[in-house]
Amino acid sequence: EDKVVQSPLSLVVHEGDTVTLNCSYEVTNFRSLLWYKQEKKAPTFLFMLTSSGIEKKSGRLSSILDKKELFSILNITATQTGDSAVYLCAPSKAAGNKLTFGGGTRVLVKP
Amino acid sequence: EAQVTQNPRYLITVTGKKLTVTCSQNMNHEYMSWYRQDPGLGLRQIYYSMNVEVTDKGDVPEGYKVSRKEKRNFPLILESPSPNQTSLYFCASSAINRGPSTDTQYFGPGTRLTVL
């Protein structure tokens, strides 16, 4: 059975702090790993990672994948209150475009 | 604007009263999927479709039906809703890339369903 575990479950930080979110997975026929951000609405796409060791960056967010150890990290530097959200990771399978979502990490950034 | 739309956005109904939640995308995507999101359980796939007239069960299909008669539409049907189907429902779509990378799934705005 496919399994995706995200940690921590939640965290509270102050503006300017750096956060590191973890995603470990066990998925058969792994293809890619996607990160989404979910505020009080639909998940919005952040990153897709396919290759190990290659960091993807978008502004203050960055992410990396380790296919040998089966985990991914999402980093947010210089956090802002607008970063408050639930962050979801979802590995995809080679067949059927299927995404298996982790339970998410809830991040609260205080002013 | 490229988007996935769902209707209705909010629905309160009673047990046993058939309902349909519509989903439509304007990106000519082959793949469409329905998820439900519940506290503590995350997003779980209900049904998906790889193309017109091709549908398959996801992880939690019981109590749901879908159809894919047109590429842009993928309605979710609850023939006899029950309180345990109270949830937040998302439709998503993507192209199908047969290369090494998965295509990004784009999500609709969600439908909050309450079954009394």
Side-chain angles (χ1 to χ4, degrees), chain A residues 59-93:
Chain A
R60 297 176 292 102
L61 278 66
S62 64
S63 185
I64 197 161
L65 174 68
D66 186 328
K67 290 167 75 173
K68 183 180 176 186
E69 300 297 329
L70 307 182
F71 76 89
S72 176
I73 286 172
L74 176 68
N75 282 314
I76 310 173
T77 58
T79 52
Q80 301 170 359
T81 55
D83 295 325
S84 296
V86 175
Y87 291 84
L88 301 166
C89 78
S92 72
K93 299 170 83 74

Side-chain angles (χ1 to χ4, degrees), chain B residues 8-15 17-19 21 81 85-87 111-116:
Chain B
R9 296 288 311 280
Y10 303 90
L11 179 60
I12 299 175
T13 189
V14 296
T15 298
K17 187 176 181 183
K18 181 180 178 179
L19 66 93
V21 184
Q85 293 178 298
T86 292
S87 187
T111 295
R112 187 166 291 283
L113 171 66
T114 301
V115 183
L116 302 174

Side-chain angles (χ1 to χ4, degrees), chain B residues 52-112:
Chain B
V52 176
E53 302 291 1
V54 181
T55 63
D56 210 343
K57 296 177 181 178
D59 298 317
V60 287
E62 294 76 23
Y64 304 95
K65 286 174 58 177
V66 293
S67 70
R68 187 89 183 272
K69 292 184 167 53
E70 305 163 284
K71 198 172 187 178
R72 63 183 293 125
N73 296 322
F74 190 45
L76 179 69
I77 303 154
L78 284 71
E79 295 268 4
S80 183
S82 62
N84 65 11
Q85 293 178 298
T86 292
S87 187
L88 178 59
Y89 291 85
F90 289 104
C91 180
S93 76
S94 75
I96 294 179
N97 181 354
R98 309 210 183 275
S101 300
T102 300
D103 274 282
T104 306
Q105 285 190 30
Y106 296 94
F107 284 79
T111 295
R112 187 166 291 283

Side-chain angles (χ1 to χ4, degrees), chain A residues 15 18 24 27-28 56 59 70 79 82-83 89 100:
Chain A
E15 277 192 316
T18 294
S24 65
V27 170
T28 55
K56 289 215 171 178
L70 307 182
T79 52
D83 295 325
C89 78
T100 301

